[in-house]
Amino acid sequence: MVYESNCTVLTKEQVEEKMKGMKPISYRWLKNKIKRHIPQLYEALSLDFYNPYDYKCGRTKHYYILVHSAIEYFIRK
């Protein structure tokens, strides 16, 4: 897993392309996977605190998409 980018640095079209075909994923599962594989991102986003956007997380063929503080984070599988 590699953190690639987030929606604040991409164009609307790039975000839509990365999110194309997104399926829901368990926030808890994704959060634990990030904690194991990308601990710096886990700490930087303070993922141990409540996230009101947890239900918007998903996955595509190439990405895990973490939604935190209304920002989509694209993590390449």
Side-chain angles (χ1 to χ4, degrees), residues 11-59:
T11 65
K12 179 183 175 193
E13 292 78 20
Q14 288 172 316
V15 170
E16 288 172 353
E17 183 63 33
K18 288 184 186 299
M19 294 182 78
K20 193 179 212 176
M22 186 173 91
K23 295 180 181 178
I25 195 171
S26 165
Y27 172 73
R28 190 162 146 209
W29 180 86
L30 181 56
K31 181 174 81 165
N32 289 331
K33 192 163 179 79
I34 291 169
K35 186 175 186 178
R36 268 192 319 273
H37 297 282
I38 316 174
Q40 304 89 346
L41 181 61
Y42 183 90
E43 292 296 323
L45 296 178
S46 300
L47 293 180
D48 48 346
F49 293 107
Y50 174 70
N51 178 10
Y53 300 94
D54 61 356
Y55 66 96
K56 293 186 175 188
C57 294
R59 65 176 173 79

